[in-house]
Amino acid sequence: MGLLPCLTIFILFILPILHPSLALDSLRQSHFMSDNGTTLVSTDGTFELGFFTPGTSNKRYLGIWYKNIPVQTVVWVANRLNPINDSSVTLTITTSGDLVLSQNNTVLWSTNSTAKAQNPIARLLNTGNLVVMDENEADPDAYLWQSFDYPCDTLLPGMKFGWDLKTGWQWNLTAWKSPDDPSPGDLTFIKVLHAYPESYIMKGNKKFYRFGPWNGDHGSGGPEIKPNPVFQFIFVNNESGIYYMDVWNNNSVLTRLVLNQTESTRYRYVWLKNIKTWQIYSTKPADYCDTYGLCGPNGNCIISELPVCRCLKGFTPKSPQDGNSVDWTEGCVRNKPLNCSDKYKDGFIKLTAMKVPDTTHTWLDQTMNLEQCRRKCLENCSCTAYTNSDVRGGGSGCALWFGDLIDVTYQVSGGQDLYVRMDASELESGKKRKLTMIVTITVGAVFGLLLVGGYIFHRVRKKRIANSQDVRDDNPYCESTPDDTPDDNLDLPLFDMATIASVTDNFSNKNKLGEGGFGPVYGENYQMDKKSQ
């Protein structure tokens, strides 16, 4: 046997046994991994594949975790349904290219791929993706099988969430039953192929939380998702597939999206190196208003000090007691039912900052503008609302809703406009109510101004009279009225010229009191009275 074959055998079989910590990133044909501490490690040292025990369990699993994070954080598990009960387990790759996990000649897990390879190899990539490929394949992305196609409870950057429309394959998340048990729980995160696709967190077969359809920037219910220097969000909707994925902008920052069964929550985590901990970046559901269908059909949940259910404009509670009840499951009904006798007389009420309704019964056209969308809705008597399907650049595309509007929520920030159809008579009464309100406010404002003006006039006049009284009190030649109260009427006596001439002795100098800015001032018998004193 030559030197090279001997060296190959030593590297593949003997070296990992002698030095378990000296791990490789690949598993080749006829090589095997056992539960003795040997692992595969991605070339950049970020991820590690091996055997582990979750929490307080005594069972073993084959999985992938972050290698250099102190608290073991598992991102993928192979044998979720068939745990390992003892150490007599091996992982091998067959000549046809299947990974097989077996214990005492019993297969616990297998890739069971239909694609075959002449020289198969399994490799753990720097993304955390475990792939099987033909080592002679020129295309490095031509995988026969990959773990990214079989997510567990974690979505990593580069993983797809949604649908491959060519193959019919679906990428979903399923939570662990508990921190000690990675077997599938009943909490799932799925994308549903409505005409206007969107994602849900499901509890069993019931909708628990709805993310809202992708509106070009984010899911309609996730306005907090914004561009950032760590990772970016990509949404693909074409003939090949409908899916969402994250892409790393900065490979030195670790992020993961996890579905948690215990807390019925989907978390987005970012690893903070300085303090060595996972920081929660976002949480869904975020509050009580995020509970699916909380306010029933045509109801709207509003966050204030406490979540409050209200009917959409143009609707009233279906049951009278709902107005004061915490149970709004029956929701709201229209004040005026839609009457399509003349559908083009109908109109729309614009609601702003909304998480748009559940898209189960929708129609989508990504080429229409908003006016075309409005007309399209009017043409169909069953159409109850419309909006732009893409909010970027002023808006484009058209989404129509049919029937009741379910799971509508007011967003404090980042929501979008929703146009809800109303019967013409409801709009007319609304216009009358608006006109009445405008008239009432206008009359009230004018009356208020008159009151304020009258009050100011009264105060000014009263002040002038008071000042006049002060002058009279200070002047010895001015007499006060008997009760020393200013005369509001101020009726001054008028004298003819003959009387004034007689009193002043034809304006004699002896009766002259003095001169002011307007000429001489005279008094009656002033000198005489003064001598008599």
Side-chain angles (χ1 to χ4, degrees):
M1 182 179 294
L3 179 60
L4 185 58
C6 291
L7 184 59
T8 301
I9 293 173
F10 179 77
I11 292 175
L12 296 179
F13 296 98
I14 301 175
L15 190 59
I17 297 174
L18 296 177
H19 300 281
S21 61
L22 184 58
L24 305 175
D25 72 330
S26 302
L27 182 68
R28 286 176 169 79
Q29 187 177 340
S30 300
H31 185 201
F32 67 90
M33 278 181 55
S34 59
D35 190 4
N36 62 353
T38 57
T39 62
L40 298 183
V41 178
S42 61
T43 56
D44 66 354
T46 301
F47 291 98
E48 187 169 24
L49 169 76
F51 297 92
F52 74 100
T53 300
T56 59
S57 171
N58 58 3
K59 298 176 180 179
R60 301 284 284 173
Y61 296 86
L62 175 69
I64 299 172
W65 58 86
Y66 293 96
K67 179 172 176 56
N68 297 317
I69 290 180
V71 179
Q72 189 178 60
T73 305
V74 178
V75 298
W76 183 79
V77 181
N79 54 318
R80 299 182 75 179
L81 297 173
N82 297 304
I84 302 164
N85 296 318
D86 58 47
S87 59
S88 60
V89 61
T90 58
L91 176 68
T92 59
I93 184 168
T94 66
T95 56
S96 61
D98 280 325
L99 281 171
V100 178
L101 181 68
S102 59
Q103 181 181 25
N104 298 324
N105 296 322
T106 299
V107 175
L108 301 178
W109 171 81
S110 171
T111 57
N112 196 26
S113 174
T114 57
K116 305 301 177 184
Q118 293 182 346
N119 190 18
I121 182 174
R123 177 170 288 138
L124 181 61
L125 305 182
N126 295 334
T127 58
N129 191 11
L130 177 64
V131 301
V132 177
M133 57 189 301
D134 192 323
E135 196 168 15
N136 300 325
E137 174 62 53
D139 183 359
D141 296 326
Y143 307 138
L144 307 177
W145 178 93
Q146 58 176 331
S147 62
F148 273 16
D149 280 340
Y150 301 86
C152 294
D153 68 330
T154 301
L155 193 73
L156 296 174
M159 293 179 70
K160 295 176 181 178
F161 169 77
W163 289 82
D164 183 330
L165 297 181
K166 289 185 175 180
T167 64
W169 190 259
Q170 186 176 14
W171 300 285
N172 292 334
L173 296 186
T174 306
W176 287 23
K177 275 188 177 179
S178 74
D180 304 324
D181 184 359
S183 63
D186 69 347
L187 192 72
T188 57
F189 179 29
I190 65 172
K191 180 169 288 295
V192 180
L193 295 180
H194 302 319
Y196 195 14
E198 65 175 322
S199 306
Y200 301 88
I201 292 178
M202 306 286 293
K203 275 192 172 183
N205 59 1
K206 293 183 178 181
K207 297 173 182 177
F208 177 67
Y209 170 75
R210 183 178 65 91
F211 287 82
W214 189 262
N215 64 16
D217 281 334
H218 49 73
S220 180
E224 76 285 353
I225 298 178
K226 296 178 175 65
N228 63 82
V230 178
F231 51 91
Q232 59 180 308
F233 310 97
I234 295 177
F235 182 75
V236 174
N237 185 356
N238 55 36
E239 66 281 357
S240 297
I242 299 176
Y243 58 87
Y244 160 92
M245 66 187 299
D246 302 330
V247 176
W248 258 321
N249 291 332
N250 186 344
N251 291 340
S252 64
V253 179
L254 303 179
T255 180
R256 60 193 174 101
L257 192 150
V258 180
L259 198 61
N260 187 300
Q261 173 85 35
T262 306
E263 300 177 19
S264 298
T265 304
R266 191 222 68 182
Y267 290 112
R268 159 79 65 186
Y269 291 100
V270 174
W271 176 251
L272 302 181
K273 290 183 178 179
N274 294 337
I275 58 177
K276 297 186 182 305
T277 188
W278 287 104
Q279 177 70 42
I280 295 176
Y281 179 83
S282 67
T283 303
K284 293 296 181 182
D287 51 56
Y288 192 58
C289 265
D290 278 342
T291 304
Y292 179 82
L294 179 68
C295 298
N298 310 306
N300 175 25
C301 191
I302 302 172
I303 288 290
S304 53
E305 292 183 2
L306 294 173
V308 177
C309 283
R310 293 286 184 267
C311 290
L312 297 174
K313 289 182 180 179
F315 295 80
T316 53
K318 184 175 183 180
S319 299
Q321 69 272 18
D322 282 352
N324 299 314
S325 172
V326 293
D327 183 8
W328 274 66
T329 52
E330 291 191 13
C332 307
V333 294
R334 291 181 177 274
N335 298 333
K336 299 285 185 180
L338 293 178
N339 182 356
C340 283
S341 58
D342 191 350
K343 57 190 177 184
Y344 291 105
K345 285 187 177 181
D346 289 348
F348 297 88
I349 292 178
K350 179 181 177 181
L351 305 180
T352 59
M354 306 302 293
K355 173 184 176 181
V356 300
D358 185 293
T359 64
T360 300
H361 304 291
T362 53
W363 178 88
L364 181 68
D365 187 312
Q366 297 179 347
T367 65
M368 285 185 174
N369 60 36
L370 197 62
E371 176 57 26
Q372 292 170 329
C373 194
R374 185 188 73 85
R375 292 199 300 267
K376 187 71 175 179
C377 187
L378 285 175
E379 289 172 1
N380 191 319
C381 291
S382 300
C383 180
T384 52
Y386 74 93
T387 192
N388 278 138
S389 57
D390 192 327
V391 299
R392 295 173 298 177
S396 63
C398 174
L400 305 183
W401 277 263
F402 303 93
D404 287 328
L405 305 176
I406 308 295
D407 196 41
V408 184
T409 307
Y410 171 77
Q411 304 282 354
V412 177
S413 63
Q416 64 190 89
D417 296 337
L418 178 69
Y419 300 85
V420 180
R421 187 172 187 166
M422 291 289 139
D423 184 78
S425 60
E426 175 68 14
L427 290 173
E428 192 63 31
S429 62
K431 290 178 181 178
K432 290 180 180 178
R433 287 193 298 269
K434 186 175 181 180
L435 180 60
T436 301
M437 183 181 298
I438 291 173
V439 171
T440 302
I441 293 173
T442 302
V443 171
V446 170
F447 183 70
L449 288 174
L450 289 175
L451 286 177
V452 172
Y455 174 76
I456 293 174
F457 176 78
H458 175 73
R459 294 280 297 181
V460 169
R461 186 178 181 209
K462 188 174 181 181
K463 186 174 182 181
R464 287 177 177 174
I465 293 172
N467 291 339
S468 175
Q469 180 66 33
D470 291 342
V471 170
R472 295 175 63 187
D473 291 342
D474 293 340
N475 193 333
Y477 306 107
C478 294
E479 294 183 358
S480 299
T481 57
D483 58 358
D484 291 331
T485 302
D487 185 0
D488 287 341
N489 293 324
L490 292 177
D491 292 331
L492 300 177
L494 299 176
F495 302 95
D496 57 20
M497 181 58 70
T499 302
I500 296 173
S502 174
V503 170
T504 60
D505 194 15
N506 289 320
F507 302 98
S508 172
N509 285 335
K510 66 180 182 180
N511 287 340
K512 185 177 180 180
L513 299 179
E515 289 192 29
F518 293 92
V521 180
Y522 295 88
E524 180 182 3
N525 298 323
Y526 171 72
Q527 296 293 338
M528 185 185 299
D529 291 344
K530 186 174 182 181
K531 288 179 181 180
S532 65
Q533 291 175 356

